[in-house]
Amino acid sequence: MTPLTEILLAQIARSGPITIAEYMTQCLLHPKHGYYTTHQPLGQAGDFVTAPEISQMFGEMIGLCLAQAWMDQAAPARFTLAELGPGRGTLMADILRATKGIAGFHAAADIVLVEASPSLQSQQAQTLGSYDVQWANTVTELPEQPLFLVANEFFDCLPISQFIRTNHGWQEQMIGANDGTLGFILAAHTPTSVFSDAPLGTVLEVCPSAVAITADIARIIGENGGAAIILDYGDWVPTGDTLQAVQNHKKVDPLHDCGASDLTAHVNFHSLSEAAKPFAQVSGLTAQGILLERLGITARAQTLATQLHEKALENHIAAHRRLTHPDEMGQLFKAIAITPNGATHPAGFET
Ligand code: SAH
């Protein structure tokens, strides 16, 4: 049993079942035993591989897309270049390398990384050693100036709540304890008026922090200019129970070994879009594969391929396929872009 499982069992024995949101927060970000506090999650040697860790081409495409959006908005002389949940710092490093030649872009950028994990902050500092970078704990610390932002696989690790339609109406899915093990249990009472009715057994997931963060970003962009690119796995409206745990590249039981696996849920892009709309416009949902193709990933892949041979060339071709093919990440991962009302949508996005 992990130390965090013991802590949570003791807490539940003391004060009763906890919500899934509380469980996710503790498992991912507990200051001593949380997954992002204690693990090096990313990469082949970690538990999962993200798009920027698959190939430099991902960050290059996103960087050029953000730089084009900056130019489309008359290249403001001071702006925030931000990333939410930057992991090892690979994506921001590739964005900065790809945009080095764009006149004035680096000179105008205040680079801000929003990162909750102190150990990942220090890894990001190493990766981005040659750049002047600041860290923020939340988006509420972002300055009031144009904001060009990317978030890749950030929203999926924000805490969700789950509600299930039963004979008694909507009941919240909680986590309790039985014989010294954690287990799911339904809360007795949940206010039923909040959700419309649905067939018995329907699972509804909500992520209040994703909504709040998106509204904060959209407000800054609506009032100051900028563009936010949000990429993740999920759907316009995901259905069913999407809570999952991944350890060593395999799915595992989300209630087992607390703090030792990555916990995520699919992103509800419709709810992000609704959160942004009072402040700014939102592009249509665009599949990652289509977005990267439109941004020119295949031409870039061909250029890089001319310098590669044998195993390195094979890996490069596989990486291009993995990022774009509908059977791999191309369709599962999707993106939206937030820009000020009336602005040009960033390159590659559905309007
Ligand atoms: N974007 C990176 C890493 C994704 S993993 C990539 O594509 O490789 C998720 C990242 O979000 C990690 O850096 C994690 O520490 C960070 N994170 C998770 N919850 C957070 C929160 N509530 N606030 C800020 N950062 C958070």
Side-chain angles (χ1 to χ4, degrees):
M1 188 181 295
T2 61
L4 188 56
T5 305
E6 282 179 40
I7 291 171
L8 293 175
L9 282 169
Q11 182 187 334
I12 290 166
R14 257 193 333 268
S15 37
I18 57 173
T19 62
I20 293 181
E22 179 170 1
Y23 178 75
M24 283 182 82
T25 305
Q26 297 275 7
C27 287
L28 294 176
L29 297 175
H30 185 282
K32 197 151 166 234
H33 305 295
Y35 177 71
Y36 284 115
T37 326
T38 54
H39 283 68
Q40 296 295 340
L42 293 149
Q44 299 297 348
D47 288 307
F48 58 98
V49 179
T50 55
E53 302 292 338
I54 290 172
S55 166
Q56 67 184 69
M57 295 186 291
F58 180 79
E60 291 170 350
M61 295 303 118
I62 298 300
L64 293 173
C65 182
L66 284 174
Q68 179 66 54
W70 173 74
M71 288 189 279
D72 288 344
Q73 292 183 36
R78 207 67 266 133
F79 72 95
T80 308
L81 178 61
E83 182 177 353
L84 308 185
R88 303 210 288 193
T90 310
L91 173 54
M92 185 52 85
D94 289 335
I95 288 174
L96 290 168
R97 191 172 33 73
T99 54
K100 211 164 40 194
I102 294 174
F105 188 70
H106 282 201
D110 295 320
I111 304 166
V112 181
L113 304 178
V114 179
E115 174 57 67
S117 152
S119 63
L120 284 174
Q121 278 193 12
S122 48
Q123 206 171 342
Q124 291 151 18
Q126 268 182 18
T127 310
L128 296 164
S130 54
Y131 295 100
D132 186 7
V133 178
Q134 290 161 26
W135 279 268
N137 290 313
T138 71
V139 292
T140 54
E141 294 167 34
L142 293 172
E144 288 298 326
Q145 60 183 12
L147 171 64
F148 291 83
L149 174 147
V150 63
N152 183 60
E153 289 211 44
F154 168 76
F155 282 91
D156 63 42
C157 59
L158 297 177
I160 58 152
S161 300
Q162 271 185 355
F163 298 87
I164 300 183
R165 174 71 168 88
T166 68
N167 285 326
H168 308 289
W170 289 100
Q171 291 184 275
E172 182 162 8
Q173 182 76 282
M174 309 282 287
I175 293 162
N178 202 348
D179 284 342
T181 15
L182 295 171
F184 288 110
I185 118 170
L186 290 175
H189 302 289
T190 298
T192 50
S193 56
V194 201
F195 309 125
S196 53
D197 206 2
L200 280 183
T202 303
V203 179
L204 192 95
E205 295 181 340
V206 292
C207 186
S209 55
V211 167
I213 289 170
T214 308
D216 283 338
I217 296 167
R219 207 260 319 137
I220 296 178
I221 289 174
E223 288 178 10
N224 300 275
I229 298 178
I230 297 173
L231 300 116
D232 226 307
Y233 55 100
D235 234 313
W236 188 238
V237 181
T239 50
D241 169 13
T242 74
L243 181 69
Q244 70 170 40
V246 168
Q247 192 175 18
N248 197 14
H249 306 273
K250 290 194 189 72
K251 283 192 189 174
V252 294
D253 177 355
L255 300 190
H256 194 62
D257 281 353
C258 306
S261 58
D262 186 42
L263 279 180
T264 59
H266 282 200
V267 170
N268 182 324
F269 283 99
H270 174 250
S271 73
L272 302 192
S273 180
E274 289 301 302
K277 275 184 183 162
F279 308 102
Q281 66 183 12
V282 184
S283 74
L285 187 64
T286 311
Q288 173 174 299
I290 292 171
L291 175 67
L292 293 175
E293 287 296 354
R294 287 179 180 156
L295 291 173
I297 195 170
T298 298
R300 177 64 178 144
Q302 284 162 351
T303 307
L304 287 171
T306 58
Q307 294 149 35
L308 299 170
H309 306 282
E310 295 172 8
K311 192 71 196 152
L313 181 59
E314 266 174 47
N315 289 344
H316 172 63
I317 293 167
H320 172 267
R321 183 187 150 89
R322 197 157 165 208
L323 289 175
T324 57
H325 198 280
D327 293 342
E328 305 225 16
M329 295 173 85
Q331 183 61 34
L332 178 64
F333 282 72
K334 302 183 177 72
I336 51 172
I338 302 170
T339 41
N341 289 324
T344 310
H345 286 285
F349 282 87
E350 306 289 337
T351 52

